[in-house]
């Protein structure tokens, strides 16, 4: 575990999430290659890159699903390396999954209530006795869940609360994943392809939503996205990965026209030049 | 059925205008409800059950259970009442581990045994310790919970098959320890070996002895009600949600701030504590513990209960406990209700056949089977020696039913020698062949093949199975679960689970 070393830049604007020299390999295949990354408070940073570039591995490293081989990962100055995922979630990093991983057989609102486990305290003794304190906490959990779901307007409202998550449409499942991540009260939201599998109008809606999450919700957002319209619409900064290496970083225009990025994408460069 | 399912050509009535259009989200969401509505006769019951609040359900259970002592004699109350409730309480604990948290724990019965032995050591002449129940019950629960903690932490990194086999090892280790190891402590074998520990004290609370079956039964009613209520409250709390999340997707749960390993341990400990409590009550009511009581047969029974009732459903487990224990008690070797056995068997078969759609096919098959039986019986008795049809059914029973069976099923005389000595073996083989044939046919041919198969089943039952009750019980449970799996995979009161991506 590397010691946190305050670099000259970080003294002016201290980044919320900071990765320094992170390596990860799977049996000789290097997936994350000496990666440095910083996300500032209240910023939206997009990670792009072709399939297999290491984007989802990056999220898995941050959320502790597996540890980096070397390097430092810090959230608000505190190291996350070696912590189990549930502790990292309590520190304030929450994510969604590219391949949706909802609690399908639980109701919509239960999904959002379940992920508040880390911030709540009542144990089984008080739950068995149903003490007033337990009931108060239950009410608070429910109220918070309703508040998170209300963020999505009509989409996840009313009768949908009590229906099982498996009955939701694909786009609504993506929304519910975001709501569930929000309920852990994170400081940074890691969204893994939030617009995947959505139609153009839903994509437009999710673009607006991500902006609203930052502006109204106050979240800092790191997002993996393939859809360049979304990336263009939301990003303060774009980071391009290829084979685990950061090949470009900067504004959308700068990254999208970067020759190395165009080369990495090859056939899909048409989408980039839009 | 209020509506005949087989009425082709009749267009469905135009839908209620307030209902959603087919295919839209809210329509999909109501699919379960619509399906439930179609069930016709059971509808009222299902509606009433759904709408009644949880305390009412609990009161219903307590009320119904409390009536048992008034119409059962002492012996029946012990077999049908006490044991049912004991299994219900045990299954409620298993349901925490398997139903709530989704951990396949095959060592559960060992915790039951640990509770029972703890009580036996602390409340018997074995070591001359006679502690009252208010002390032994918490101690038994704590010892069992500790064992649960140890097994849980040893296996917290294991999932699925690995967890199942490791916990099964634990159960076998426990059985070997109590049965053969039996270490000598203070000059006496700790567990009493195969003989176990006998002459245990009855449960004594602050000097008040629970001597009679009736008293123990009412104590168990209270225990089951309290355990069910406590588990219901846990299930509705954040811990319950975390258990469900863990069952659905452990990785996602962990990433969503739920400490998965701690919750697995908690499930093990909670289940083990309940099993320990049950062990105490079992030991005290039975007044003896023997190593043979805590083995795989009991485990199978408990799993049958929770699967039949519906994994994760507390009310379902209680219902499943009643169904499974009552049928297994009727089939027990010492049971003297042969008619009930027969009703259970034929009832199950008729039920399975009645699930056939449309309904008239079921009626046709049953009628044809009865006719087929009489025809075969007539032909056999007319063409062969008399010993082929003069056998008595192995299970006795009331005279009229026995005579009816004797005139319908071909039963060779048990002591007769002759060409039918291998009759029983042939019956078994014939039944298997017939069942496979039925599977491979379709349409009317299948129905036609079903008739002799059902008759063969009846022959196997009357000639062989009825005299091997323990085998029969297991076969019957198997058949029950197979039938349930096809009709209601979520169990009697369980919630349907969907596995999709």
């Amino acid at each position: 575990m590397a010691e946190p070393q305050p670099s000259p830049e970080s003294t002016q604007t201290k980044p919320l999430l900071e990765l320094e020299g992170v390596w990860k390999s799977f049996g000789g295949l290097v997936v994350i290659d000496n990666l440095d990354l910083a996300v500032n408070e209240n910023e939206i940073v997009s990670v792009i890159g072709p399939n297999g570039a290491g984007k989802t591995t990056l999220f898995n490293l941050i959320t502790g699903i597996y540890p980096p081989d070397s390097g430092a990962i810090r959230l608000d100055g505190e190291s996350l390396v070696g912590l189990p995922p549930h502790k990292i979630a309590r520190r304030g990093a929450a994510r969604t999954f590219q391949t949706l991983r909802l609690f399908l057989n639980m109701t919509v609102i239960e999904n959002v209530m379940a992920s508040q486990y880390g911030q709540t305290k009542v144990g089984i003794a008080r739950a068995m006795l149903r003490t007033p304190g337990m009931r108060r906490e239950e009410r608070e959990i429910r109220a918070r869940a309703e508040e998170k779901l209300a963020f999505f307007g009509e989409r996840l409202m009313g009768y949908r609360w009590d229906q099982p998550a498996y009955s939701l449409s694909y786009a609504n499942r993506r929304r519910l994943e975001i709501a569930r991540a929000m309920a852990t009260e994170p400081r940074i939201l890691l969204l893994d392809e939030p617009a995947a599998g959505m139609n153009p109008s839903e994509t437009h809606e999710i673009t607006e939503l991500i902006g609203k999450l930052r502006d109204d919700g106050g979240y800092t957002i790191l997002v993996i996205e393939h859809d360049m319209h979304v990336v263009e619409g939301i990003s303060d900064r774009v980071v391009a990965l290829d084979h685990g290496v950061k090949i470009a970083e900067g504004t959308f225009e700068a990254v999208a026209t970067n020759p190395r990025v165009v080369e990495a994408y090859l056939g899909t460069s048409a989408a980039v030049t839009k | 059925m209020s509506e005949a399912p087989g009425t082709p050509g009749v267009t469905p009535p135009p839908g209620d205008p307030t209902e959603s259009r087919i295919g839209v989200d809210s329509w999909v969401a109501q699919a379960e409800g619509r399906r439930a509505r179609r069930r016709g006769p059971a509808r009222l019951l299902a509606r009433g059950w759904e709408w009644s609040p949880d305390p009412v359900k609990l009161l219903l259970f307590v009320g119904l259970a409390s009536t048992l002592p008034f119409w059962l004699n002492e012996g029946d109350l012990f077999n049908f009442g006490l044991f049912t409730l004991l299994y219900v309480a045990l299954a409620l604990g298993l349901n925490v581990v398997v139903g709530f948290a989704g951990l396949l724990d095959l060592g559960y019965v060992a915790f039951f045994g640990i509770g029972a032995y703890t009580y036996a050591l602390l409340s018997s002449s074995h070591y001359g310790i006679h502690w009252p129940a208010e002390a032994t019950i918490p101690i038994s629960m704590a010892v069992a919970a500790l064992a649960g903690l140890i097994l849980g932490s040893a296996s917290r990194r294991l999932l699925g098959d690995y967890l199942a086999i490791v916990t099964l090892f634990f159960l076998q280790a426990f059985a070997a320890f109590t049965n053969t190891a039996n270490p000598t402590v203070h000059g006496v074998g700790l567990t009493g070996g195969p003989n176990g520990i006998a002459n245990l004290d009855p449960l004594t609370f602050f000097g008040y002895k629970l001597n009679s079956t009736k008293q123990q039964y009412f104590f168990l009613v209270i225990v089951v009600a309290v355990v069910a209520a406590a588990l219901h409250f846990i299930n509705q709390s954040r811990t319950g949600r975390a258990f469900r999340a863990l069952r659905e997707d452990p990785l996602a749960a962990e990433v969503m701030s739920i400490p998965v390993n701690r919750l697995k341990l908690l499930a093990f400990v909670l289940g083990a504590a309940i099993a320990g409590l049950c062990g105490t009550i079992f030991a005290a009511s039975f007044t003896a513990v023997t190593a043979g009581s805590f083995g795989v047969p009991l485990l199978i029974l408990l799993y049958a209960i929770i699967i039949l009732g519906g994994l994760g459903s507390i009310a379902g487990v209680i219902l499943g406990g009643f169904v499974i224990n009552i049928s297994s008690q009727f089939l027990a070797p010492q049971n003297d209700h042969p008619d009930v056995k027969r009703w259970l068997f034929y009832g199950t078969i008729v039920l399975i056949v009645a699930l056939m759609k449309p309904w008239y096919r079921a009626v046709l098959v049953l009628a044809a089977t009865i006719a087929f039986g009489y025809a075969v019986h007539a032909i056999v008795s007319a063409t062969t020696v008399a010993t082929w049809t003069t056998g008595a059914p192995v299970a006795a029973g009331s005279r009229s039913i026995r005579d009816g069976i004797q005139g319908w099923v071909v039963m060779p005389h048990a002591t007769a020698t002759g060409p039918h000595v291998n009759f029983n073996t042939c019956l078994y083989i014939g039944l298997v062949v017939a069942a496979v044939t039925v599977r491979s046919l379709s349409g009317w041919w299948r129905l036609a093949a079903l008739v002799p198969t059902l008759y063969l089943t009846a022959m196997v039952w009357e000639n062989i199975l009825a005299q091997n009750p323990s085998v029969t019980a297991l076969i019957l449970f198997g058949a029950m679960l197979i039938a349930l799996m096809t009709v209601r995979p979520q169990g009697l009161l369980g919630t349907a689970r969907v596995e999709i991506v």
Side-chain angles (χ1 to χ4, degrees), chain A residues 247-265:
Chain A
I247 53 172
E249 181 171 3
T251 62
F252 177 75
E253 282 74 20
V255 172
T257 53
N258 184 308
R260 289 189 67 189
V261 175
V262 176
E263 189 197 324
Y265 272 93

mmCIF file with all atom_site columns, all heavy atoms in Angstrom, chain A residues 247-265:
data_model
loop_
_atom_site.group_PDB
_atom_site.id
_atom_site.type_symbol
_atom_site.label_atom_id
_atom_site.label_alt_id
_atom_site.label_comp_id
_atom_site.label_asym_id
_atom_site.label_entity_id
_atom_site.label_seq_id
_atom_site.pdbx_PDB_ins_code
_atom_site.Cartn_x
_atom_site.Cartn_y
_atom_site.Cartn_z
_atom_site.occupancy
_atom_site.B_iso_or_equiv
_atom_site.pdbx_formal_charge
_atom_site.auth_seq_id
_atom_site.auth_comp_id
_atom_site.auth_asym_id
_atom_site.auth_atom_id
_atom_site.pdbx_PDB_model_num
ATOM 1   N N   . ILE A 1 247 ? -4.918  6.813  -22.462 1.00 0.00 ? 247 ILE A N   1
ATOM 2   C CA  . ILE A 1 247 ? -4.317  7.338  -23.689 1.00 0.00 ? 247 ILE A CA  1
ATOM 3   C C   . ILE A 1 247 ? -4.671  8.798  -23.937 1.00 0.00 ? 247 ILE A C   1
ATOM 4   O O   . ILE A 1 247 ? -4.034  9.465  -24.746 1.00 0.00 ? 247 ILE A O   1
ATOM 5   C CB  . ILE A 1 247 ? -4.699  6.493  -24.925 1.00 0.00 ? 247 ILE A CB  1
ATOM 6   C CG1 . ILE A 1 247 ? -6.217  6.330  -25.018 1.00 0.00 ? 247 ILE A CG1 1
ATOM 7   C CG2 . ILE A 1 247 ? -4.012  5.138  -24.891 1.00 0.00 ? 247 ILE A CG2 1
ATOM 8   C CD1 . ILE A 1 247 ? -6.667  5.670  -26.308 1.00 0.00 ? 247 ILE A CD1 1
ATOM 9   N N   . ALA A 1 248 ? -5.697  9.309  -23.261 1.00 0.00 ? 248 ALA A N   1
ATOM 10  C CA  . ALA A 1 248 ? -6.020  10.727 -23.448 1.00 0.00 ? 248 ALA A CA  1
ATOM 11  C C   . ALA A 1 248 ? -6.867  11.188 -22.288 1.00 0.00 ? 248 ALA A C   1
ATOM 12  O O   . ALA A 1 248 ? -7.565  10.401 -21.652 1.00 0.00 ? 248 ALA A O   1
ATOM 13  C CB  . ALA A 1 248 ? -6.790  10.931 -24.760 1.00 0.00 ? 248 ALA A CB  1
ATOM 14  N N   . GLU A 1 249 ? -6.811  12.465 -22.003 1.00 0.00 ? 249 GLU A N   1
ATOM 15  C CA  . GLU A 1 249 ? -7.626  13.033 -20.939 1.00 0.00 ? 249 GLU A CA  1
ATOM 16  C C   . GLU A 1 249 ? -7.863  14.495 -21.261 1.00 0.00 ? 249 GLU A C   1
ATOM 17  O O   . GLU A 1 249 ? -6.979  15.172 -21.776 1.00 0.00 ? 249 GLU A O   1
ATOM 18  C CB  . GLU A 1 249 ? -6.899  12.901 -19.590 1.00 0.00 ? 249 GLU A CB  1
ATOM 19  C CG  . GLU A 1 249 ? -7.705  13.450 -18.433 1.00 0.00 ? 249 GLU A CG  1
ATOM 20  C CD  . GLU A 1 249 ? -7.096  13.128 -17.076 1.00 0.00 ? 249 GLU A CD  1
ATOM 21  O OE1 . GLU A 1 249 ? -6.008  12.522 -17.043 1.00 0.00 ? 249 GLU A OE1 1
ATOM 22  O OE2 . GLU A 1 249 ? -7.705  13.493 -16.068 1.00 0.00 ? 249 GLU A OE2 1
ATOM 23  N N   . GLY A 1 250 ? -9.060  14.996 -21.002 1.00 0.00 ? 250 GLY A N   1
ATOM 24  C CA  . GLY A 1 250 ? -9.321  16.406 -21.268 1.00 0.00 ? 250 GLY A CA  1
ATOM 25  C C   . GLY A 1 250 ? -10.788 16.627 -21.574 1.00 0.00 ? 250 GLY A C   1
ATOM 26  O O   . GLY A 1 250 ? -11.638 15.826 -21.189 1.00 0.00 ? 250 GLY A O   1
ATOM 27  N N   . THR A 1 251 ? -11.084 17.723 -22.266 1.00 0.00 ? 251 THR A N   1
ATOM 28  C CA  . THR A 1 251 ? -12.463 17.991 -22.631 1.00 0.00 ? 251 THR A CA  1
ATOM 29  C C   . THR A 1 251 ? -12.910 16.984 -23.689 1.00 0.00 ? 251 THR A C   1
ATOM 30  O O   . THR A 1 251 ? -12.080 16.317 -24.310 1.00 0.00 ? 251 THR A O   1
ATOM 31  C CB  . THR A 1 251 ? -12.606 19.399 -23.231 1.00 0.00 ? 251 THR A CB  1
ATOM 32  O OG1 . THR A 1 251 ? -11.796 19.435 -24.422 1.00 0.00 ? 251 THR A OG1 1
ATOM 33  C CG2 . THR A 1 251 ? -12.154 20.459 -22.254 1.00 0.00 ? 251 THR A CG2 1
ATOM 34  N N   . PHE A 1 252 ? -14.224 16.881 -23.892 1.00 0.00 ? 252 PHE A N   1
ATOM 35  C CA  . PHE A 1 252 ? -14.737 15.928 -24.860 1.00 0.00 ? 252 PHE A CA  1
ATOM 36  C C   . PHE A 1 252 ? -14.131 16.163 -26.235 1.00 0.00 ? 252 PHE A C   1
ATOM 37  O O   . PHE A 1 252 ? -13.683 15.228 -26.897 1.00 0.00 ? 252 PHE A O   1
ATOM 38  C CB  . PHE A 1 252 ? -16.263 16.029 -24.922 1.00 0.00 ? 252 PHE A CB  1
ATOM 39  C CG  . PHE A 1 252 ? -16.854 15.122 -25.963 1.00 0.00 ? 252 PHE A CG  1
ATOM 40  C CD1 . PHE A 1 252 ? -16.944 13.762 -25.739 1.00 0.00 ? 252 PHE A CD1 1
ATOM 41  C CD2 . PHE A 1 252 ? -17.275 15.634 -27.189 1.00 0.00 ? 252 PHE A CD2 1
ATOM 42  C CE1 . PHE A 1 252 ? -17.466 12.925 -26.702 1.00 0.00 ? 252 PHE A CE1 1
ATOM 43  C CE2 . PHE A 1 252 ? -17.803 14.792 -28.160 1.00 0.00 ? 252 PHE A CE2 1
ATOM 44  C CZ  . PHE A 1 252 ? -17.898 13.441 -27.916 1.00 0.00 ? 252 PHE A CZ  1
ATOM 45  N N   . GLU A 1 253 ? -14.110 17.431 -26.669 1.00 0.00 ? 253 GLU A N   1
ATOM 46  C CA  . GLU A 1 253 ? -13.595 17.741 -28.011 1.00 0.00 ? 253 GLU A CA  1
ATOM 47  C C   . GLU A 1 253 ? -12.147 17.289 -28.144 1.00 0.00 ? 253 GLU A C   1
ATOM 48  O O   . GLU A 1 253 ? -11.773 16.651 -29.134 1.00 0.00 ? 253 GLU A O   1
ATOM 49  C CB  . GLU A 1 253 ? -13.689 19.240 -28.314 1.00 0.00 ? 253 GLU A CB  1
ATOM 50  C CG  . GLU A 1 253 ? -15.086 19.724 -28.688 1.00 0.00 ? 253 GLU A CG  1
ATOM 51  C CD  . GLU A 1 253 ? -16.013 19.797 -27.480 1.00 0.00 ? 253 GLU A CD  1
ATOM 52  O OE1 . GLU A 1 253 ? -15.500 19.852 -26.337 1.00 0.00 ? 253 GLU A OE1 1
ATOM 53  O OE2 . GLU A 1 253 ? -17.243 19.775 -27.675 1.00 0.00 ? 253 GLU A OE2 1
ATOM 54  N N   . ALA A 1 254 ? -11.348 17.608 -27.122 1.00 0.00 ? 254 ALA A N   1
ATOM 55  C CA  . ALA A 1 254 ? -9.931  17.283 -27.212 1.00 0.00 ? 254 ALA A CA  1
ATOM 56  C C   . ALA A 1 254 ? -9.724  15.772 -27.290 1.00 0.00 ? 254 ALA A C   1
ATOM 57  O O   . ALA A 1 254 ? -8.933  15.284 -28.107 1.00 0.00 ? 254 ALA A O   1
ATOM 58  C CB  . ALA A 1 254 ? -9.195  17.850 -25.996 1.00 0.00 ? 254 ALA A CB  1
ATOM 59  N N   . VAL A 1 255 ? -10.451 15.035 -26.456 1.00 0.00 ? 255 VAL A N   1
ATOM 60  C CA  . VAL A 1 255 ? -10.260 13.583 -26.433 1.00 0.00 ? 255 VAL A CA  1
ATOM 61  C C   . VAL A 1 255 ? -10.805 12.941 -27.700 1.00 0.00 ? 255 VAL A C   1
ATOM 62  O O   . VAL A 1 255 ? -10.189 12.054 -28.286 1.00 0.00 ? 255 VAL A O   1
ATOM 63  C CB  . VAL A 1 255 ? -10.917 12.974 -25.173 1.00 0.00 ? 255 VAL A CB  1
ATOM 64  C CG1 . VAL A 1 255 ? -10.904 11.459 -25.234 1.00 0.00 ? 255 VAL A CG1 1
ATOM 65  C CG2 . VAL A 1 255 ? -10.190 13.461 -23.924 1.00 0.00 ? 255 VAL A CG2 1
ATOM 66  N N   . ALA A 1 256 ? -11.984 13.429 -28.144 1.00 0.00 ? 256 ALA A N   1
ATOM 67  C CA  . ALA A 1 256 ? -12.623 12.796 -29.296 1.00 0.00 ? 256 ALA A CA  1
ATOM 68  C C   . ALA A 1 256 ? -11.798 12.973 -30.562 1.00 0.00 ? 256 ALA A C   1
ATOM 69  O O   . ALA A 1 256 ? -11.880 12.160 -31.483 1.00 0.00 ? 256 ALA A O   1
ATOM 70  C CB  . ALA A 1 256 ? -14.030 13.375 -29.491 1.00 0.00 ? 256 ALA A CB  1
ATOM 71  N N   . THR A 1 257 ? -11.019 14.032 -30.645 1.00 0.00 ? 257 THR A N   1
ATOM 72  C CA  . THR A 1 257 ? -10.224 14.257 -31.858 1.00 0.00 ? 257 THR A CA  1
ATOM 73  C C   . THR A 1 257 ? -8.790  13.789 -31.694 1.00 0.00 ? 257 THR A C   1
ATOM 74  O O   . THR A 1 257 ? -7.997  13.859 -32.627 1.00 0.00 ? 257 THR A O   1
ATOM 75  C CB  . THR A 1 257 ? -10.220 15.749 -32.224 1.00 0.00 ? 257 THR A CB  1
ATOM 76  O OG1 . THR A 1 257 ? -9.800  16.487 -31.070 1.00 0.00 ? 257 THR A OG1 1
ATOM 77  C CG2 . THR A 1 257 ? -11.602 16.218 -32.648 1.00 0.00 ? 257 THR A CG2 1
ATOM 78  N N   . ASN A 1 258 ? -8.469  13.297 -30.510 1.00 0.00 ? 258 ASN A N   1
ATOM 79  C CA  . ASN A 1 258 ? -7.122  12.789 -30.271 1.00 0.00 ? 258 ASN A CA  1
ATOM 80  C C   . ASN A 1 258 ? -6.844  11.599 -31.188 1.00 0.00 ? 258 ASN A C   1
ATOM 81  O O   . ASN A 1 258 ? -7.618  10.643 -31.221 1.00 0.00 ? 258 ASN A O   1
ATOM 82  C CB  . ASN A 1 258 ? -7.018  12.366 -28.791 1.00 0.00 ? 258 ASN A CB  1
ATOM 83  C CG  . ASN A 1 258 ? -5.626  11.918 -28.419 1.00 0.00 ? 258 ASN A CG  1
ATOM 84  O OD1 . ASN A 1 258 ? -5.053  11.068 -29.090 1.00 0.00 ? 258 ASN A OD1 1
ATOM 85  N ND2 . ASN A 1 258 ? -5.103  12.479 -27.345 1.00 0.00 ? 258 ASN A ND2 1
ATOM 86  N N   . PRO A 1 259 ? -5.761  11.634 -31.953 1.00 0.00 ? 259 PRO A N   1
ATOM 87  C CA  . PRO A 1 259 ? -5.502  10.548 -32.907 1.00 0.00 ? 259 PRO A CA  1
ATOM 88  C C   . PRO A 1 259 ? -5.397  9.174  -32.253 1.00 0.00 ? 259 PRO A C   1
ATOM 89  O O   . PRO A 1 259 ? -5.826  8.176  -32.832 1.00 0.00 ? 259 PRO A O   1
ATOM 90  C CB  . PRO A 1 259 ? -4.156  10.940 -33.532 1.00 0.00 ? 259 PRO A CB  1
ATOM 91  C CG  . PRO A 1 259 ? -3.765  12.245 -32.989 1.00 0.00 ? 259 PRO A CG  1
ATOM 92  C CD  . PRO A 1 259 ? -4.760  12.708 -32.001 1.00 0.00 ? 259 PRO A CD  1
ATOM 93  N N   . ARG A 1 260 ? -4.849  9.115  -31.046 1.00 0.00 ? 260 ARG A N   1
ATOM 94  C CA  . ARG A 1 260 ? -4.712  7.810  -30.401 1.00 0.00 ? 260 ARG A CA  1
ATOM 95  C C   . ARG A 1 260 ? -6.081  7.231  -30.054 1.00 0.00 ? 260 ARG A C   1
ATOM 96  O O   . ARG A 1 260 ? -6.296  6.021  -30.115 1.00 0.00 ? 260 ARG A O   1
ATOM 97  C CB  . ARG A 1 260 ? -3.861  7.933  -29.133 1.00 0.00 ? 260 ARG A CB  1
ATOM 98  C CG  . ARG A 1 260 ? -2.393  8.189  -29.425 1.00 0.00 ? 260 ARG A CG  1
ATOM 99  C CD  . ARG A 1 260 ? -1.567  8.087  -28.174 1.00 0.00 ? 260 ARG A CD  1
ATOM 100 N NE  . ARG A 1 260 ? -1.527  6.730  -27.638 1.00 0.00 ? 260 ARG A NE  1
ATOM 101 C CZ  . ARG A 1 260 ? -1.006  6.418  -26.447 1.00 0.00 ? 260 ARG A CZ  1
ATOM 102 N NH1 . ARG A 1 260 ? -0.516  7.375  -25.690 1.00 0.00 ? 260 ARG A NH1 1
ATOM 103 N NH2 . ARG A 1 260 ? -0.973  5.189  -26.025 1.00 0.00 ? 260 ARG A NH2 1
ATOM 104 N N   . VAL A 1 261 ? -7.005  8.111  -29.665 1.00 0.00 ? 261 VAL A N   1
ATOM 105 C CA  . VAL A 1 261 ? -8.347  7.636  -29.327 1.00 0.00 ? 261 VAL A CA  1
ATOM 106 C C   . VAL A 1 261 ? -9.048  7.145  -30.582 1.00 0.00 ? 261 VAL A C   1
ATOM 107 O O   . VAL A 1 261 ? -9.652  6.069  -30.615 1.00 0.00 ? 261 VAL A O   1
ATOM 108 C CB  . VAL A 1 261 ? -9.152  8.762  -28.653 1.00 0.00 ? 261 VAL A CB  1
ATOM 109 C CG1 . VAL A 1 261 ? -10.586 8.317  -28.415 1.00 0.00 ? 261 VAL A CG1 1
ATOM 110 C CG2 . VAL A 1 261 ? -8.485  9.185  -27.355 1.00 0.00 ? 261 VAL A CG2 1
ATOM 111 N N   . VAL A 1 262 ? -8.929  7.932  -31.654 1.00 0.00 ? 262 VAL A N   1
ATOM 112 C CA  . VAL A 1 262 ? -9.547  7.540  -32.924 1.00 0.00 ? 262 VAL A CA  1
ATOM 113 C C   . VAL A 1 262 ? -8.987  6.200  -33.373 1.00 0.00 ? 262 VAL A C   1
ATOM 114 O O   . VAL A 1 262 ? -9.723  5.311  -33.799 1.00 0.00 ? 262 VAL A O   1
ATOM 115 C CB  . VAL A 1 262 ? -9.304  8.622  -33.993 1.00 0.00 ? 262 VAL A CB  1
ATOM 116 C CG1 . VAL A 1 262 ? -9.849  8.175  -35.349 1.00 0.00 ? 262 VAL A CG1 1
ATOM 117 C CG2 . VAL A 1 262 ? -9.934  9.942  -33.574 1.00 0.00 ? 262 VAL A CG2 1
ATOM 118 N N   . GLU A 1 263 ? -7.688  6.036  -33.214 1.00 0.00 ? 263 GLU A N   1
ATOM 119 C CA  . GLU A 1 263 ? -7.049  4.790  -33.608 1.00 0.00 ? 263 GLU A CA  1
ATOM 120 C C   . GLU A 1 263 ? -7.552  3.614  -32.768 1.00 0.00 ? 263 GLU A C   1
ATOM 121 O O   . GLU A 1 263 ? -7.823  2.529  -33.275 1.00 0.00 ? 263 GLU A O   1
ATOM 122 C CB  . GLU A 1 263 ? -5.537  4.947  -33.460 1.00 0.00 ? 263 GLU A CB  1
ATOM 123 C CG  . GLU A 1 263 ? -4.743  3.803  -34.027 1.00 0.00 ? 263 GLU A CG  1
ATOM 124 C CD  . GLU A 1 263 ? -3.310  3.804  -33.499 1.00 0.00 ? 263 GLU A CD  1
ATOM 125 O OE1 . GLU A 1 263 ? -2.745  4.903  -33.305 1.00 0.00 ? 263 GLU A OE1 1
ATOM 126 O OE2 . GLU A 1 263 ? -2.794  2.714  -33.242 1.00 0.00 ? 263 GLU A OE2 1
ATOM 127 N N   . ALA A 1 264 ? -7.688  3.862  -31.449 1.00 0.00 ? 264 ALA A N   1
ATOM 128 C CA  . ALA A 1 264 ? -8.156  2.791  -30.563 1.00 0.00 ? 264 ALA A CA  1
ATOM 129 C C   . ALA A 1 264 ? -9.539  2.320  -30.958 1.00 0.00 ? 264 ALA A C   1
ATOM 130 O O   . ALA A 1 264 ? -9.854  1.139  -30.903 1.00 0.00 ? 264 ALA A O   1
ATOM 131 C CB  . ALA A 1 264 ? -8.156  3.282  -29.116 1.00 0.00 ? 264 ALA A CB  1
ATOM 132 N N   . TYR A 1 265 ? -10.373 3.284  -31.401 1.00 0.00 ? 265 TYR A N   1
ATOM 133 C CA  . TYR A 1 265 ? -11.733 2.913  -31.762 1.00 0.00 ? 265 TYR A CA  1
ATOM 134 C C   . TYR A 1 265 ? -11.847 2.382  -33.176 1.00 0.00 ? 265 TYR A C   1
ATOM 135 O O   . TYR A 1 265 ? -12.797 1.695  -33.510 1.00 0.00 ? 265 TYR A O   1
ATOM 136 C CB  . TYR A 1 265 ? -12.679 4.104  -31.584 1.00 0.00 ? 265 TYR A CB  1
ATOM 137 C CG  . TYR A 1 265 ? -13.236 4.199  -30.188 1.00 0.00 ? 265 TYR A CG  1
ATOM 138 C CD1 . TYR A 1 265 ? -12.621 4.962  -29.219 1.00 0.00 ? 265 TYR A CD1 1
ATOM 139 C CD2 . TYR A 1 265 ? -14.392 3.515  -29.857 1.00 0.00 ? 265 TYR A CD2 1
ATOM 140 C CE1 . TYR A 1 265 ? -13.126 5.045  -27.948 1.00 0.00 ? 265 TYR A CE1 1
ATOM 141 C CE2 . TYR A 1 265 ? -14.917 3.586  -28.587 1.00 0.00 ? 265 TYR A CE2 1
ATOM 142 C CZ  . TYR A 1 265 ? -14.271 4.354  -27.626 1.00 0.00 ? 265 TYR A CZ  1
ATOM 143 O OH  . TYR A 1 265 ? -14.785 4.431  -26.386 1.00 0.00 ? 265 TYR A OH  1
#
